[in-house]
């Protein structure tokens, strides 16, 4: 078991998720909806805490970086300690932190990563979601129709003209930056709702696809923004996935999609709109066996891509993909499986760092 060391914490700030089992911490949902069940299976420690830094394999920043980034004294303490001990500092940057954390010697786990901007010392951290398959059941779906059904249930409309106008201004700014820097990949910095509206509209125009789309005008998983009854909305979301051959996974505010992992947890095949998306364990996992990936420049060809893929499949091959999606989620992407896999040993952690370079 990997040995980690930390000594100072910031009062009133929760410990990083990695340490939850060590202290039997129960996750507090706060204003986030449906997050109580995320850590249900994460009960056994995957790291050992040592009281002596010289005995540790790594130094750990014990809080999410976003919560303590303004506490320069605490942050500098850990950077200096790692240098003094000649050990790597582990930092978890949960959430929409897509800016650089300029500490080349650290190992930085991030949700929000882009292939074209990714640093050598960054590791992809999945968005942790509830195991919907364990809660709602798993029933694999055979091929039964001549054209595929594609589901989506989520935020895909602007709530107001003001929100729409602000988004358009931001997207114009991105367009200017693309032109000035000759960096077409900057297109992927546009908001998720831009890509969602674009692919939903294109798929609805096509006769090749049976679209099953439920658009919402606000983020569903927060008490301040939810616009429907929570339990009924959750059931509608799950049913939309289970009743479709494929379900769209398109980035949100950060360059990742919680929906991607939720679809896989239910044993269904995601259609990932690839906005320079980095996926966990890409060095060793063959995602082509469990999802359909559409590069963002090919968004207008999405009906043809999905239709062609579906026509080439048999019932057996589709079910095999669904089973692989479920297996990958349960064995490598669910919070307990992810931490067990990547923190199996110091060598495993460092090997993953090399894989993603």
């Amino acid at each position: 078991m990997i040995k980690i060391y930390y000594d100072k914490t910031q009062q009133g700030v929760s410990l990083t998720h990695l340490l939850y089992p060590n202290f039997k911490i129960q996750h507090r949902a706060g204003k986030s909806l449906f997050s109580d069940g995320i850590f249900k299976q994460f009960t056994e420690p995957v790291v050992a805490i040592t009281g002596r830094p010289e005995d540790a394999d790594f130094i750990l920043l014990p809080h999410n970086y976003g919560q303590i980034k303004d506490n320069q004294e605490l942050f500098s303490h850990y950077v200096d300690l790692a240098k003094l001990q000649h050990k790597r500092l582990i930092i978890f940057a949960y959430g929409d932190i897509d800016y650089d954390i300029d500490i080349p010697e650290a190992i930085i786990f991030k949700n929000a990563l882009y292939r074209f901007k990714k640093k050598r010392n960054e590791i992809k951290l999945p968005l942790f979601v509830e195991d919907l398959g364990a809660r709602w059941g798993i029933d694999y779906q055979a091929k039964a129709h001549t054209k595929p059904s594609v589901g989506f249930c989520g935020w895909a409309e602007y709530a107001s003209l003001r929100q729409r106008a602000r988004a358009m201004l931001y997207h114009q700014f991105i367009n200017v930056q693309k032109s000035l820097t000759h960096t077409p990949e900057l297109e992927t910095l546009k908001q998720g709702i831009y890509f969602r509206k674009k692919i939903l509209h294109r798929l609805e125009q096509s006769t090749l696809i049976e679209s099953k789309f439920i658009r919402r005008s606000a983020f569903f998983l927060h008490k301040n923004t939810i616009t429907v009854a929570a339990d009924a909305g959750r059931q509608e979301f799950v049913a939309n996935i289970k009743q479709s051959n494929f379900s769209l996974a398109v980035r949100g505010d950060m360059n990742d999609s919680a929906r991607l992992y939720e679809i896989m947890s239910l044993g269904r095949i995601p259609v990932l709109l690839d906005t320079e998306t980095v996926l966990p364990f890409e060095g060793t996992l063959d995602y082509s066996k469990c999802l359909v990936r559409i590069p963002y420049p090919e968004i207008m060809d999405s009906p043809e891509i999905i239709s062609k893929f579906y026509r080439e499949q048999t019932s057996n091959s589709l079910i095999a993909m669904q089973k692989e999606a479920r297996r990958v989620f349960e064995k490598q992407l669910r919070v307990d499986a992810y931490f067990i896999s990547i923190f199996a040993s110091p060598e495993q952690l460092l090997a993953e760092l090399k894989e993603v370079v």
Side-chain angles (χ1 to χ4, degrees):
M1 184 178 285
I2 285 179
K3 292 182 288 186
I4 61 97
Y5 173 85
Y6 72 92
D7 57 353
K8 292 186 178 183
T9 59
Q10 181 168 321
Q11 189 173 5
V13 177
S14 60
L15 294 175
T16 187
H17 298 150
L18 177 68
L19 298 176
Y20 276 18
N22 296 77
F23 295 96
K24 308 300 180 185
I25 295 174
Q26 298 296 317
H27 179 69
R28 296 179 182 177
K31 294 184 178 181
S32 296
L33 297 171
F34 309 111
S35 60
D36 288 340
I38 292 175
F39 298 92
K40 182 178 180 181
Q41 293 89 1
F42 190 36
T43 58
E44 298 299 321
V46 296
V47 295
I49 302 168
T50 178
R52 289 162 43 91
E54 55 268 32
D55 294 336
D57 298 304
F58 302 96
I59 306 298
L60 174 71
L61 183 68
H63 306 294
N64 177 23
Y65 173 78
Q67 294 177 294
I68 60 91
K69 61 184 177 64
D70 295 326
N71 186 337
Q72 193 58 47
E73 181 181 352
L74 179 65
F75 189 63
S76 296
H77 167 76
Y78 278 101
V79 174
D80 294 342
L81 176 62
K83 290 180 179 178
L84 179 65
Q85 295 293 326
H86 303 288
K87 298 181 187 294
R88 304 293 290 267
L89 174 64
I90 294 176
I91 297 174
F92 285 96
Y94 297 103
D96 191 18
I97 299 176
D98 61 358
Y99 49 82
D100 288 347
I101 301 174
D102 190 19
I103 310 172
E105 304 83 6
I107 298 173
I108 301 173
F109 288 83
K110 295 176 75 173
N111 294 126
L113 286 177
Y114 296 81
R115 277 194 304 273
F116 78 102
K117 296 202 304 176
K118 189 182 170 303
K119 305 300 182 185
R120 294 175 63 88
N121 63 329
E122 294 174 335
I123 293 179
K124 171 63 183 178
L125 183 70
L127 288 173
F128 296 134
V129 301
E130 180 185 6
D131 187 341
L132 296 181
R135 180 180 175 188
W136 298 88
I138 300 167
D139 49 355
Y140 301 113
Q141 187 181 73
K143 186 175 182 178
H145 303 284
T146 56
K147 64 180 181 179
S149 58
V150 180
F152 175 85
C153 178
W155 187 13
E157 296 291 346
Y158 293 110
S160 66
L161 288 175
R162 181 181 179 183
Q163 188 183 76
R164 180 185 179 91
R166 289 178 63 183
M168 290 177 67
L169 284 173
Y170 175 67
H171 296 157
Q172 282 298 107
F173 170 76
I174 294 296
N175 290 337
V176 171
Q177 292 298 306
K178 283 167 50 183
S179 177
L180 291 175
T181 63
H182 305 287
T183 309
E185 294 87 354
L186 290 176
E187 175 79 5
T188 61
L189 301 184
K190 293 181 178 179
Q191 294 174 321
I193 193 169
Y194 166 83
F195 292 104
R196 292 179 183 190
K197 289 176 69 67
K198 195 168 184 177
I199 194 169
L200 291 175
H201 180 67
R202 182 69 187 98
L203 290 172
E204 281 182 324
Q205 287 181 319
S206 175
T207 59
L208 298 174
I209 302 295
E210 179 190 354
S211 57
K212 296 184 176 184
F213 301 155
I214 302 171
R215 291 176 172 84
R216 292 176 175 151
S217 60
F219 180 56
F220 175 68
L221 298 179
H222 197 280
K223 291 180 180 178
N224 290 350
T225 56
I226 188 170
T227 57
V228 298
D231 289 341
R234 192 61 161 170
Q235 291 178 29
E236 184 179 52
F237 173 81
V238 171
N240 182 265
I241 294 173
K242 297 188 73 170
Q243 293 169 9
S244 305
N245 300 121
F246 305 94
S247 286
L248 291 175
V250 186
R251 64 158 293 172
D253 284 344
M254 73 177 73
N255 195 30
D256 201 356
S257 166
R259 187 177 283 101
L260 169 68
Y261 308 102
E262 291 170 323
I263 295 166
M264 295 176 72
S265 81
L266 284 163
R268 286 295 184 270
I269 303 169
V271 173
L272 173 66
L273 183 62
D274 185 354
T275 49
E276 288 290 307
T277 309
V278 179
L279 295 176
F281 302 117
E282 276 195 292
T284 53
L285 263 180
D286 183 359
Y287 279 96
S288 67
K289 294 181 178 180
C290 60
L291 61 78
V292 178
R293 193 187 302 241
I294 299 178
Y296 73 92
E298 299 175 27
I299 194 169
M300 300 307 291
D301 298 324
S302 52
E304 291 77 14
I305 293 171
I306 297 170
S307 177
K308 180 176 183 295
F309 181 86
Y310 186 72
R311 291 196 310 270
E312 292 172 349
Q313 303 305 310
T314 65
S315 281
N316 287 341
S317 65
L318 284 173
I319 290 174
M321 285 191 73
Q322 293 169 54
K323 289 182 176 180
E324 178 66 3
R326 172 62 196 179
R327 186 198 69 78
V328 168
F329 174 80
E330 185 178 10
K331 300 301 183 184
Q332 292 188 268
L333 301 182
R334 197 171 65 187
V335 56
D336 56 324
Y338 177 80
F339 281 134
I340 289 170
S341 296
I342 209 159
F343 283 92
S345 67
E347 294 76 20
Q348 176 62 40
L349 176 53
L350 294 175
E352 179 62 24
L353 197 65
K354 293 176 183 177
E355 286 284 356
V356 297
V357 168

